[in-house]
Amino acid sequence: GRRLNWEALGQLTYLSEVKSSIAEIFSPIYLLFYVDMLILLVWQLLNRKIYVDYFSTKSLKSAKYLKFDPFFKKKAVTTVTALALTVCSLSVVFYPDKGNKMAMTREVGILTTQGYELLTFWQKKHDKLAPTDKLTQATINRLKQIEPSSWPKYFGAASGKNIILIQLESIENFLINFTVDGEQITPNLNSLVQESLYFPYFYSQIGQGNTSDAEFITNTSLYPLADGAIAKELKNIKYPSLPRLLKEQGYVSLTFHANDVTFWNRDNLYPCLGFDKYYDKAFYQDEDPIGRWGSSDQVLFAKAFPILKELHAKRQKFYASLITLSSHHPYNLPESKHRIEIPDEIKGTLLGNYFLAVNYTDYTLGQFIQALKAHGLWDNTVLVVFGDHFGLRNTTDTFYKNTLSKLLGRDHDQLDSLNVPLLIRIPGLKAQTINNVGGQVDLLPTIANLLGLSLDKQLVFGQDIFNHSDNLLGFRFYYPEGTLITANHFHEAGSRYGFNIFNHKPYEDKEFFLQQENRVKSLLALSDSYLNYLAENQPLP
């Protein structure tokens, strides 16, 4: 998991929204981290009592030293804090890879690392990345070692079609064609694979903003921040984006999400991305709510469909983004919405609840697809369905881990957590499984290729995954900076190993992976510079 750092503390205002998820993942064993602090507190209180008892037997003249001057106290605390942070920062001056905070924590300790990180956190608030002459598409392509295709496959294959993009909450790719006791968890996604171009090696690239970062990445082909949710940290920027690209072609862009639009500052993010209108909790009115998040996915699709149907009837081309919610952690789906039987051994567990929630979301997706087919939208629409981020993470629960391993036939690992489904259904194109590696940063250029649109006027850090078998994907926040996926391997920065993405087997080549780390770090730094450039030069009107 990710360390609790100073940037993460900036998200405390969102705790009330995710308290059920926190309660689910909290373990009493975590309290052991605070035992030393408790001992120090007791020791301090006992010593204070001894000092007071001692001085109380002395003269009143001596007792005056017990009274701390407020100014002196504040100055002393500031001085001690500054000294402590200085010592912490000096202890890591010679550490070779300061970008890899997890490895640094292992080597010099968590307190030292956090002290150093606090200093850099303060410094980052005042530092700005300067735009350079390297902010060009040619530079990005050289770093990724790709060449633009002269005659790209599928170019313009969906020209003029409506675009519906469905972002599935917490759904991992292993669930496709996965069964538990003979029950398909995602029967409708399984059927859609038979009608679509399916990418089994597609990966989530979110940062601290999770679902909102997935929305940002897919609509801009830019990387999220290393720390902090992009919707919260960067505001009022006119991003080059898919909605703006489509507006030039006469499209209207809408986004549907049943949660409150102010969560993760989406009320600011959507105008930044160029959406013409958003529909949130105020529109859905918490009809048929699930947990604290908002209306069920059934309602999400049911209330969005008439709007899309009306646009279609008016011959108005549209781009609609729908973000599901019912499969959100901790997966507390009402029993009335359970649609499959799961083994008794996992009923009531996080794993069992996850399967039930995903199955329900899959069911609502199936209903939506049937509506598109029944009302004439299916043959004029490109349907893009993908997962936003992981649904299952590492845990200390042995039963959970062993049961999942038994069901999968192998351990559920880091690759599984990153690997999310991507299905693109295009009218008139034959279904196919494409093993090219891709990430969320690749969606915008891939859709642009399908629509026959030029990207000459904007920078993209992704690529059209129909036409490139090689790739270089970077990952942030949940992994050390420099963590990457190539066309063949996953590598966590700071390790000498990688893992084959096709069979999950380890592969050792320290020099090769160090070279790839340097490439992806340069790519991420370039994305950060471009974001800074946009912040300074392209404000919202």
Side-chain angles (χ1 to χ4, degrees):
R2 174 73 179 184
R3 298 164 297 105
L4 177 62
N5 61 5
W6 301 101
E7 285 90 347
L9 292 176
Q11 314 302 332
L12 288 175
T13 54
Y14 299 123
L15 284 182
S16 63
E17 291 286 338
V18 296
K19 63 183 180 181
S20 57
S21 290
I22 293 172
E24 179 66 39
I25 63 176
F26 179 78
S27 172
I29 198 172
Y30 299 155
L31 295 175
L32 290 176
F33 285 105
Y34 301 97
V35 168
D36 54 346
M37 297 177 66
L38 181 62
I39 293 173
L40 286 172
L41 178 61
V42 173
W43 180 84
Q44 179 68 22
L45 291 173
L46 288 174
N47 276 276
R48 180 180 179 184
K49 184 178 186 305
I50 292 171
Y51 295 151
V52 171
D53 288 346
Y54 172 76
F55 281 114
S56 64
T57 62
K58 302 297 180 181
S59 66
L60 291 175
K61 181 179 180 181
S62 299
K64 71 181 181 180
Y65 294 108
L66 289 172
K67 299 179 180 179
F68 288 94
D69 178 78
F71 174 77
F72 172 77
K73 184 176 181 180
K74 182 177 180 181
K75 187 174 181 181
V77 170
T78 303
T79 303
V80 171
T81 302
L83 286 172
L85 291 174
T86 301
V87 171
C88 288
S89 61
L90 287 174
S91 68
V92 295
V93 164
F94 300 106
Y95 188 78
D97 186 8
K98 298 179 184 64
N100 189 343
K101 300 300 191 302
M102 292 184 180
M104 185 191 297
T105 300
R106 290 193 296 268
E107 295 295 325
V108 300
I110 188 170
L111 293 179
T112 302
T113 304
Q114 291 284 30
Y116 174 80
E117 194 163 73
L118 178 56
L119 284 180
T120 58
F121 173 69
W122 282 342
Q123 185 179 11
K124 280 192 297 183
K125 291 300 182 183
H126 303 287
D127 288 349
K128 288 188 176 181
L129 295 168
T132 70
D133 57 0
K134 294 182 179 180
L135 289 176
T136 67
Q137 193 64 52
T139 303
I140 296 170
N141 292 345
R142 280 197 298 271
L143 278 172
K144 297 181 65 178
Q145 298 179 358
I146 62 169
E147 292 288 340
S149 300
S150 300
W151 300 98
K153 190 176 183 180
Y154 298 130
F155 183 79
S159 179
K161 302 292 187 185
N162 298 320
I163 305 290
I164 297 179
L165 186 145
I166 299 175
Q167 183 171 307
L168 299 174
E169 172 68 40
S170 304
I171 293 184
E172 298 181 12
N173 186 65
F174 81 86
L175 294 162
I176 301 292
N177 293 320
F178 178 72
T179 61
V180 177
D181 269 11
E183 292 273 17
Q184 295 183 67
I185 302 301
T186 59
N188 290 290
L189 280 172
N190 300 344
S191 295
L192 188 59
V193 167
Q194 305 305 314
E195 301 182 64
S196 306
L197 301 174
Y198 168 50
F199 296 83
Y201 301 102
F202 184 78
Y203 299 91
S204 169
Q205 295 176 280
I206 59 166
Q208 193 170 348
N210 296 315
T211 297
S212 64
D213 274 356
E215 293 177 80
F216 170 80
I217 301 165
T218 56
N219 281 289
T220 62
S221 192
L222 303 177
Y223 277 93
L225 300 174
D227 286 292
I230 199 145
K232 180 176 182 295
E233 300 297 327
L234 299 178
K235 302 174 183 177
N236 302 319
I237 300 171
K238 186 180 178 181
Y239 293 113
S241 65
L242 183 57
R244 290 197 168 90
L245 191 67
L246 293 173
K247 186 178 288 290
E248 296 176 2
Q249 307 300 317
Y251 283 73
V252 61
S253 295
L254 316 170
T255 183
F256 300 82
H257 190 42
N259 194 221
D260 191 328
V261 74
T262 61
F263 191 59
W264 289 122
N265 286 10
R266 282 186 171 93
D267 52 339
N268 184 263
L269 176 64
Y270 292 146
C272 290
L273 294 177
F275 280 101
D276 295 296
K277 192 170 183 178
Y278 60 76
Y279 297 85
D280 76 322
K281 186 185 285 282
F283 171 71
Y284 284 101
Q285 293 290 306
D286 277 338
E287 182 182 337
D288 189 28
I290 290 183
R292 292 179 54 86
W293 300 108
S295 296
S296 67
D297 288 345
Q298 197 165 8
V299 173
L300 168 77
F301 290 121
K303 293 192 74 170
F305 182 76
I307 296 171
L308 306 184
K309 181 183 174 183
E310 183 179 358
L311 290 171
H312 175 69
K314 293 178 178 178
R315 298 183 182 275
Q316 169 62 60
K317 293 184 293 186
F318 64 82
Y319 162 46
S321 171
L322 296 95
I323 296 94
T324 69
L325 269 173
S326 297
S327 53
H328 196 291
H329 189 278
Y331 320 123
N332 291 331
L333 195 70
E335 191 171 347
S336 61
K337 297 189 184 299
H338 294 181
R339 303 192 57 81
I340 58 172
E341 283 293 325
I342 58 174
D344 290 339
E345 64 177 342
I346 60 172
K347 284 183 178 178
T349 68
L350 180 67
L351 186 60
N353 290 343
Y354 178 62
F355 293 150
L356 291 169
V358 169
N359 176 259
Y360 171 73
T361 292
D362 177 85
Y363 164 72
T364 65
L365 173 63
Q367 286 189 315
F368 182 64
I369 290 173
Q370 289 305 314
L372 293 174
K373 291 179 177 180
H375 292 86
L377 279 75
W378 188 245
D379 292 331
N380 196 44
T381 297
V382 173
L383 180 67
V384 182
V385 180
F386 74 101
D388 63 351
H389 57 70
F390 57 84
L392 302 172
R393 296 283 285 172
N394 292 335
T395 176
T396 57
D397 188 331
T398 304
F399 170 79
Y400 169 95
K401 292 169 67 175
N402 291 344
T403 303
L404 183 55
S405 296
K406 181 181 177 182
L407 292 170
L408 269 176
R410 58 173 175 76
D411 288 342
H412 179 275
D413 58 20
Q414 291 171 301
L415 267 172
D416 289 307
S417 295
L418 287 169
N419 189 197
V420 294
L422 170 63
L423 299 86
I424 304 177
R425 190 268 172 183
I426 306 161
L429 284 190
K430 184 179 178 181
Q432 182 183 357
T433 295
I434 301 175
N435 291 328
N436 290 353
V437 172
Q440 289 167 340
V441 75
D442 297 320
L443 270 180
L444 187 155
T446 299
I447 293 173
N449 177 65
L450 289 173
L451 297 180
L453 304 181
S454 170
L455 294 174
D456 290 344
K457 296 180 181 179
Q458 64 192 82
L459 297 185
V460 292
F461 285 78
Q463 62 196 42
D464 162 29
I465 53 177
F466 288 120
N467 291 282
H468 295 283
S469 56
D470 291 331
N471 210 332
L472 180 66
L473 303 172
F475 300 88
R476 312 191 95 164
F477 186 71
Y478 289 98
Y479 296 88
E481 194 85 346
T483 297
L484 58 92
I485 283 179
T486 67
N488 300 295
H489 296 99
F490 164 75
H491 168 70
E492 183 173 338
S495 168
R496 62 192 302 164
Y497 291 95
F499 291 88
N500 185 288
I501 62 172
F502 303 108
N503 59 26
H504 294 234
K505 291 183 178 179
Y507 173 81
E508 182 177 2
D509 190 336
K510 184 177 181 180
E511 184 176 345
F512 169 76
F513 286 124
L514 183 58
Q515 292 173 352
Q516 305 311 307
E517 279 188 37
N518 291 334
R519 283 174 61 206
V520 83
K521 285 179 180 178
S522 297
L523 190 67
L524 295 172
L526 202 61
S527 179
D528 290 342
S529 292
Y530 187 48
L531 283 173
N532 182 70
Y533 171 82
L534 293 173
E536 293 184 347
N537 294 278
Q538 289 194 195
L540 276 180

